Amino acid sequence: MLIAILIGFVFALFLAFAGKFFKGKLSILISLIPLGLFIYFLQYIPNIASNQIVTESQQWIPSFGVNLDFRLDGLAMLFSLMITGIGTLVFAYTSSYLKGHVYLDRFYAYLLVFMASMLGLVLSDNIISLFIFWELTSISSFFLIGFNNTNPDSRRSAQTALAVTGIGGLLFLAGALILGSIAGTYQISEMIPLSEMIAGNAHYVLAVALIFGAAFTKSAQFPFHFWLPGAMKAPTPVSTYLHSATMVKAGIYLLFRLTPVLGGQEFWNTTLLIVGAVTMFYAAFHTLFRTDLKGILAYSTIAALGILTFLIGLGTHEALLAAGMFILVHALYKATLFLMTGAIDQGTKTRDVTVLSGLRKVMLPIAIAGILAAISNAGIPPSVGFLGKDLIYESTLNFNHSAIFLTGLAVATNVLIAYAGYVTGVKPFIGKLPTGMEHVDYPPLLIWLPPIILGVLGFVFGMFPSLVQESLIKPILTSVGRDPSQVHLKIWHGFTPILGLSVLTISLGLLVYFLWKPTKSKEDFIERFEKFSPKHILESLAVLFEKASDLWTRIFQNGYLRNYISVIIVFLVGLVSLTLLENTTYRIDYSSFSRLTIYEVVTLAIMIMSIGFAVFTKSRLAAVAATGVMGYSICLFFVFYSAPDLAMTQFTIDTLTVILFVLVLYKLPKYLKLSDYKTRVKDTVISIAFGGLITILALEVLAQPVNEEISNYYAENAYILAHGKNVVNVILVDFRGTDTMVEISVLAIAAIGVFGLLKLRLKSSERKQK
Amino acid sequence: MKTIILRTASNYLLPILLLFSIFILLRGHYLPGGGFVGGLIASIAFVLHAFANGLKDTKKLLKFHPGFLMPVGLSLAFLSGLLPVIFFDQAFMTGLWMQDPIPVIGSIGTALFFDVGVYIVVLGVTLTIIFTISESA
C-alpha cells in the first residue's frame, strides 16, 4: 500500500522533468495511474466483504510512536475507490478539457500529488501520518485552486482556501497530539478500545474541539464554508475532484473515523448536530440566490457536507449507515454535475443559468448525464439517491429526540438541494436553444463519457443495491464498530411514512423549481448581506492582522541597527533580571576569588582607559581601535588564567574584527552629527544595565557548584581514546566533531549570505549607473 | 595604506605567517592551536597582504576566489567523518589512527584531516567576507 500511495508522488516528480512528453496526446496515459490504483484496490473487495482488514506497517519514527501504518477497512475502501475511480475519470476528462494548455504537465503533477495525499490520508491508521497527508492535501489543493495563476481572483481564492484549511491543519495537529497523549498511542485502531477512558479525560473536550476545528474547516462547515464557493475559480476538473469525492470529504472522513474513538458523548453529538444542521440549511437556502452553475453546485455541496456532519452527529446506527451511503451517492451525482458544468462552460463559454437552455440539441450526451445526476440528486427512484434519502429520513425519524423537527429540517434541506439539482442538471438542457448557441461544438468523447459513466453508475447501484451492500456499505459500519447484519438496502419498503417524505421532497423540489427563477437581481439582493457573513468578518480580521503586523514591523524592524541592538539588549536584560529578581539568593563566594596580581591591575587599567577613550573620542577609527585594545586585554586575562587556546582565538578574531570595522568605517565621512544628549543618556542607561547584568550573572555562575564529571571525562580520555593531549582541540575535532562540522557549515552559509547580499546590491547599483 | 615598509614587509610576512598557521594547525592536537586558529592566522596573512599591496594583487596571488575553499574544506571534513563508515563499518566520525607517528607532523588520523578541513573552511569564510566587504565599501 505504501507503494500505491507513493507512486503518485514519484510520478509527479517525474513529470517535473519529463513533463513535456506528456503535454500533448500522451497526457491521457497519465490516467492509467489512477486506473491501476483503482484496480489494485478493487482486488481487496473480497477481503473487505468478509470483514478482513488489510494492514501494512512501516517504521518511521518509532521512538515517537509515529509510523506509516496503513489500514484498509470498509471506510478506507470506499474512499480509496472514490479517489482512484473518480480520479481516473477526472484525469481522462482533463486531458481533453485542458488540451494544449501550456502547463498541462504541471496540472497533472499537482493532481497526482493531491490524489496520493488523499489516499495516504484515508489509509493512514497513525494519526500523525494522517495529519501529514492532511496537510499535503491542503498544500496541493492550493496549487490546484490557484492553477490559473494569472487571474488575481483565482490566486485570492487559493490563498483563502489555504488559510482556512491551514488553520484547520494546525488545530488538527494540536488535537492529534492531545489525543495521542491521552491514549498513549497514535494508532487510531488502538484508541478504539480506550474510548471510555478518553472520554473521561479532563482534556477530552479540548481534543474534540480541536479536531472539530480541523474537520469543519476542511469540510467547509459554517462558519468556515466560504472558502469552498471561492475555490470554484479552479478549472472544472479540480472542482469535480476536490468537491465531490476528495478534499472536502476529508473532514467528514476524519469525523467518521474518530466516531468510535470520540463519539457517543454529548459534546460530540450535539456540536456536530447543530453545526451540521446550520450548515446544511444555510447553504441549501443560499442555492436559491445563485445564478452561476458552479456557484449553485458549491452551495449544494456545502449543504451535502452539512447533512453528513448532521448524520454523524445523530450518531445512531441508521444515521451512520445513511452517512456512509450518502457519501457514495453524493460523490456520484456531484461529480457528474461538475463534469457536465465543465462541458457546458467549454462549449458555450458561460455558466450563467439564466441564459442557458435547450442545450440538449447540441450536446445530447451531456444532457443525459446531467438529467441522470439531477434525478439521483433529487432522490427519485430507481436512482441510488433515493436509497440515500430514504436512509436519512429513517435515521431522523427514529431519533429519540425532537424527531419531527430534525426530519422537517432534513426535508427542507433536501427540497432545496433537489431544486439545485433541477436547476443545474435539467434547466440548461430543456426549453428553447437561445440564439447564438446553435453552433456550439459537439463535446468530444473524453468530455461526455466520464459524466455518463458516473450518472449511469448512480442508477445501476440504485437498481441493484446488492452490488455495494456487502462490499462497501456494510464494511463501513463494521469499521466504525457497529453491527451491520441488519442492513438491507432496497428500493421498495412498502407504503411507509418515509416513502411519503420522499415523495414530498421530490414534488416540493419540483414546485420550487417551477415557481422560483434564479435571477441576477436575487443574487444582488443576497450580496447585500455579505457584510454580516463569516467571510467578510474573517477577511476584516485578516486586514487587522496585517495592520498590526505592519505597525509591529515599523516599530521593531525599522532598519536602524542601533535600535535592533537596544531592543535585543533591553529585552534580554528585562527577561533575565526578572528571573534573577524572583529566585536567586545573592551571595558572592569570595573564597573562590584568586588574589589580585600586578599584571592584572595593569591590564585592568589599560582596559578602563581604552573604554574611556572609545566613549569620548571624536573619531570612529579611534573608537574601533580602542575596542580592539579592550579585546586584546581580555586575551591577556585568558593567558593569565591558563586558557591559551581561547586567548589565541580571541586574539585573531579581535584583529580581524578591527580590520572589518576599519574597512567599513574608513569610507564613511567623519562624524557629522553627534547623537543628542537624550539619546546618549538612554544609551548609557542601557549599557550600564547590560554590563551590570553580565557582572551579576558571572558572579552567580561562580557561586554555583561546578559539575566536573564531564570535564574530567574529557581530560582523562583525550589521550586514550583520541590520541591527543590538547583537550580543547580533541573536543572540537573528535568528541564533539559533529558539532564542529555543523558550525563550519553555518560559517560557510554566513559567508555565502554576506557575499550574496553585497554582490547583489553592487550589481543593482552598477545597473543604475549604466 | 600602501607604505613601502609595509609592502616590503608583507612580501616576507605572507609566507612566514602561512607557515606559522600550518604550524599552529598541526600542533593543535598536542598543544594550544588547531584548525580554527590556524585558519584565522592564515586569513590574517592574506588580509595583511591585501592591505599592503591592494586587493587586486592578493586576488591575483590567490588565483581563485576564496569562496571555493569553503566547499573544499567542508567536503574534506565530511569525508574524514565518512571514512570510517565506508571502509571500516564504524559510526560516523569515529577517529581512526595510523600505527606509527610520522616525523614532524606527528600521528596521522582522521581527526587531522577533519582539522585541515576546518582550517580551509575558516580561511575561505573569512577571506570571502572581508574581500566582499572591502570591495563594496
Side-chain angles (χ1 to χ4, degrees):
Chain A
M1 263 186 273
L2 181 66
I3 294 169
I5 294 165
L6 287 185
I7 194 165
F9 293 114
V10 173
F11 199 76
L13 200 66
F14 168 71
L15 275 183
F17 298 105
K20 61 171 184 279
F21 300 110
F22 289 96
K23 267 187 198 174
K25 284 185 176 162
L26 286 177
S27 62
I28 181 80
L29 289 181
I30 303 176
S31 347
L32 290 178
I33 293 175
L35 183 66
L37 289 173
F38 182 68
I39 295 166
Y40 169 82
F41 284 112
L42 270 186
Q43 61 157 334
Y44 287 114
I45 282 273
N47 299 43
I48 299 297
S50 55
N51 278 332
Q52 283 172 344
I53 289 164
V54 187
T55 55
E56 192 180 299
S57 185
Q58 303 277 338
Q59 293 227 318
W60 187 14
I61 321 171
S63 47
F64 289 139
V66 177
N67 292 315
L68 292 172
D69 294 316
F70 299 116
R71 192 180 152 89
L72 184 65
D73 58 6
L75 187 60
M77 187 60 158
L78 172 73
F79 273 92
S80 305
L81 288 181
M82 288 195 322
I83 293 163
T84 51
I86 296 185
T88 309
L89 297 176
V90 167
F91 273 61
Y93 184 86
T94 302
S95 72
S96 171
Y97 188 79
L98 289 179
K99 188 189 266 175
H101 195 286
V102 199
Y103 295 127
L104 185 60
D105 51 340
R106 204 182 281 183
F107 184 82
Y108 270 116
Y110 297 153
L111 212 54
L112 276 168
V113 171
F114 178 77
M115 183 190 74
S117 323
M118 221 32 231
L119 276 178
L121 196 160
V122 299
L123 290 170
S124 288
D125 189 30
N126 191 298
I127 200 162
I128 300 294
S129 64
L130 199 158
F131 161 75
I132 288 165
F133 287 115
W134 179 282
E135 287 295 75
L136 280 173
T137 59
S138 295
I139 295 167
S140 46
S141 65
F142 167 77
F143 289 109
L144 285 171
I145 296 169
F147 182 64
N148 293 325
N149 54 16
T150 48
N151 178 353
D153 273 354
S154 180
R155 293 200 299 263
R156 205 178 150 74
S157 326
Q159 273 177 355
T160 313
L162 184 69
V164 174
T165 53
I167 289 170
L170 288 178
L171 298 178
F172 184 18
L173 179 61
L177 290 176
I178 293 175
L179 194 58
S181 61
I182 294 175
T185 172
Y186 288 118
Q187 297 278 93
I188 298 172
S189 51
E190 284 174 13
M191 287 177 191
I192 294 175
L194 305 174
S195 69
E196 298 223 333
M197 187 269 276
I198 294 171
N201 192 289
H203 298 301
Y204 168 80
V205 172
L206 180 63
V208 170
L210 289 169
I211 297 230
F212 278 169
F216 292 167
T217 46
K218 196 80 156 182
S219 284
Q221 299 295 301
F222 187 87
F224 307 109
H225 62 280
F226 55 86
W227 71 264
L228 198 149
M232 291 300 147
K233 296 282 182 302
T236 303
V238 176
S239 311
T240 315
Y241 202 33
L242 261 57
H243 303 314
S244 68
T246 55
M247 171 87 167
V248 295
K249 292 273 173 68
I252 301 296
Y253 167 81
L254 185 70
L255 294 175
F256 226 112
R257 177 58 83 202
L258 291 178
T259 294
V261 180
L262 299 171
Q265 303 297 321
E266 179 150 8
F267 177 65
W268 171 276
N269 289 68
T270 318
T271 314
L272 288 180
L273 206 58
I274 293 173
V275 172
V278 170
T279 308
M280 68 188 196
F281 192 71
Y282 174 88
F285 182 69
H286 260 269
T287 54
L288 290 174
F289 299 94
R290 305 288 148 182
T291 54
D292 179 12
L293 277 178
K294 272 176 115 178
I296 298 170
L297 288 178
Y299 276 99
S300 85
T301 304
I302 299 172
L305 295 167
I307 291 177
L308 285 168
T309 310
F310 172 80
L311 288 171
I312 296 172
L314 287 176
T316 58
H317 193 93
E318 291 111 343
L320 290 178
L321 172 67
M325 190 69 200
F326 191 58
I327 290 175
L328 177 67
V329 170
H330 177 252
L332 286 176
Y333 76 68
K334 196 49 66 69
T336 316
L337 289 175
F338 270 118
L339 291 175
M340 170 213 89
T341 306
I344 294 178
D345 190 15
Q346 201 176 38
T348 63
K349 307 285 176 258
T350 176
R351 297 198 305 253
D352 189 346
V353 80
T354 54
V355 182
L356 295 166
S357 67
L359 287 176
R360 69 180 183 286
K361 289 167 191 153
V362 282
M363 36 175 75
L364 186 65
I366 298 293
I368 294 171
I371 291 164
L372 286 178
I375 290 173
S376 183
N377 168 74
I380 300 170
S383 70
V384 74
F386 178 72
L387 288 174
K389 204 144 291 180
D390 254 17
L391 290 170
I392 294 173
Y393 292 150
E394 198 180 330
S395 56
T396 52
L397 272 180
N398 293 341
F399 197 62
N400 51 19
H401 197 274
S402 41
I404 305 291
F405 173 70
L406 294 178
T407 312
L409 205 61
V411 171
T413 306
N414 274 327
V415 166
L416 293 170
I417 289 184
Y419 156 81
Y422 298 140
V423 169
T424 47
V426 179
K427 185 179 177 296
F429 303 109
I430 54 173
K432 226 177 82 198
L433 192 67
T435 47
M437 287 195 190
E438 297 89 354
H439 304 293
V440 169
D441 290 334
Y442 191 79
L445 176 77
L446 282 176
I447 292 288
W448 63 259
L449 192 61
I452 289 265
I453 292 177
L454 288 172
V456 170
L457 267 185
F459 274 75
V460 173
F461 289 158
M463 283 184 273
F464 309 103
S466 54
L467 277 178
V468 285
Q469 177 176 301
E470 294 301 321
S471 55
L472 283 177
I473 303 304
K474 279 189 176 182
I476 292 179
L477 276 186
T478 319
S479 61
V480 288
R482 305 296 166 107
D483 175 30
S485 51
Q486 298 302 313
V487 176
H488 295 292
L489 299 175
K490 55 184 177 202
I491 292 269
W492 183 248
H493 286 271
F495 292 101
T496 56
I498 296 169
L499 183 69
L501 288 175
S502 280
V503 173
L504 185 72
T505 310
I506 296 162
S507 39
L508 275 182
L510 279 173
L511 198 67
V512 175
Y513 169 65
F514 284 119
L515 294 181
W516 179 278
K517 296 284 168 230
T519 58
K520 193 77 196 133
S521 61
K522 282 171 187 159
E523 194 170 1
D524 293 341
F525 170 74
I526 204 84
E527 288 294 319
R528 264 187 269 162
F529 297 97
E530 188 63 25
K531 250 188 294 185
F532 307 105
S533 74
K535 180 183 179 188
H536 185 80
I537 292 165
L538 276 163
E539 273 177 358
S540 344
L541 264 180
V543 172
L544 202 73
F545 263 122
E546 226 166 70
K547 279 192 181 146
S549 78
D550 190 53
L551 198 72
W552 184 265
T553 315
R554 268 176 214 289
I555 293 173
F556 289 107
Q557 312 277 323
N558 52 8
Y560 293 109
L561 284 176
R562 51 179 179 274
N563 280 14
Y564 290 174
I565 293 176
S566 23
V567 165
I568 292 169
I569 289 179
V570 167
F571 189 73
L572 186 76
V573 170
L575 212 62
V576 176
S577 43
L578 209 67
T579 337
L580 282 180
L581 285 177
E582 267 180 1
N583 43 15
T584 320
T585 48
Y586 292 96
R587 97 194 130 77
I588 296 172
D589 188 1
Y590 288 105
S591 64
S592 67
F593 287 16
S594 47
R595 291 175 61 87
L596 217 58
T597 57
I598 182 73
Y599 352 99
E600 287 164 11
V601 174
V602 171
T603 321
L604 218 60
I606 295 173
M607 280 169 92
I608 292 170
M609 266 158 55
S610 58
I611 291 173
F613 193 73
V615 172
F616 293 107
T617 181
K618 299 260 175 211
S619 143
R620 284 198 194 92
L621 281 180
V624 168
T627 55
V629 173
M630 271 289 296
Y632 286 169
S633 311
I634 293 174
C635 291
L636 281 178
F637 275 104
F638 287 140
V639 174
F640 295 155
Y641 289 96
S642 54
D645 278 283
L646 214 50
M648 273 168 79
T649 316
Q650 172 87 18
F651 195 79
T652 40
I653 288 280
D654 253 303
T655 313
L656 283 168
T657 314
V658 171
I659 290 173
L660 265 180
F661 265 122
V662 169
L663 279 177
V664 176
L665 296 182
Y666 189 64
K667 299 281 169 70
L668 290 178
K670 291 230 167 93
Y671 274 1
L672 292 175
K673 198 176 109 201
L674 292 167
S675 45
D676 61 18
Y677 188 70
K678 244 164 79 186
T679 324
R680 268 186 287 168
V681 170
K682 192 187 80 187
D683 290 347
T684 316
V685 171
I686 293 176
S687 319
I688 290 174
F690 189 57
L693 181 79
I694 297 293
T695 315
I696 294 173
L697 278 180
L699 288 174
E700 280 303 306
V701 167
L702 276 182
Q704 296 292 323
V706 186
N707 181 0
E708 294 194 329
E709 203 182 314
I710 299 168
S711 46
N712 282 342
Y713 171 82
Y714 283 141
E716 279 162 19
N717 288 299
Y719 194 68
I720 305 167
L721 292 178
H723 301 252
K725 287 178 188 153
N726 176 2
V727 180
V728 177
N729 204 43
V730 167
I731 293 175
L732 279 178
V733 299
D734 204 323
F735 286 132
R736 308 212 50 101
T738 317
D739 285 3
T740 314
M741 180 83 224
V742 177
E743 275 157 20
I744 52 177
S745 316
V746 170
L747 275 183
I749 292 168
I752 293 168
V754 170
F755 184 77
L757 280 174
L758 291 175
K759 284 286 167 186
L760 271 178
R761 219 186 52 194
L762 269 188
K763 277 198 182 136
S764 62
S765 62
E766 276 165 16
R767 218 174 289 143
K768 261 178 213 160
Q769 281 166 5
K770 279 174 195 172
Chain B
M1 270 187 268
K2 290 184 182 176
T3 65
I4 187 106
I5 300 172
L6 189 61
R7 204 182 307 172
T8 322
S10 76
N11 285 339
Y12 295 97
L13 276 174
L14 178 66
I16 291 174
L17 275 172
L18 283 179
L19 272 178
F20 179 66
S21 75
I22 292 169
F23 164 70
I24 290 283
L25 160 74
L26 289 178
R27 82 199 281 261
H29 221 58
Y30 298 104
L31 296 162
F36 198 76
V37 195
L40 287 175
I41 293 174
S43 34
I44 289 178
F46 282 110
V47 170
L48 191 69
H49 189 266
F51 262 91
N53 300 306
L55 200 56
K56 269 187 189 155
D57 279 13
T58 317
K59 279 192 154 177
K60 215 180 282 169
L61 195 75
L62 265 173
K63 297 223 164 47
F64 54 88
H65 194 280
F68 288 111
L69 289 172
M70 296 192 287
V72 171
L74 275 178
S75 9
L76 185 63
F78 187 67
L79 284 179
S80 79
L82 212 58
L83 197 75
V85 182
I86 298 172
F87 292 105
F88 300 94
D89 203 24
Q90 277 171 312
F92 184 62
M93 295 289 296
T94 314
L96 299 174
W97 295 89
M98 277 167 73
Q99 289 287 325
D100 304 306
I102 289 173
V104 184
I105 298 177
S107 357
I108 292 189
T110 47
L112 181 66
F113 289 104
F114 186 80
D115 224 8
V116 173
V118 173
Y119 174 94
I120 297 175
V121 173
V122 170
L123 179 61
V125 166
T126 321
L127 288 186
T128 308
I129 293 180
I130 289 184
F131 283 4
T132 316
I133 289 181
S134 58
E135 268 171 12
S136 65

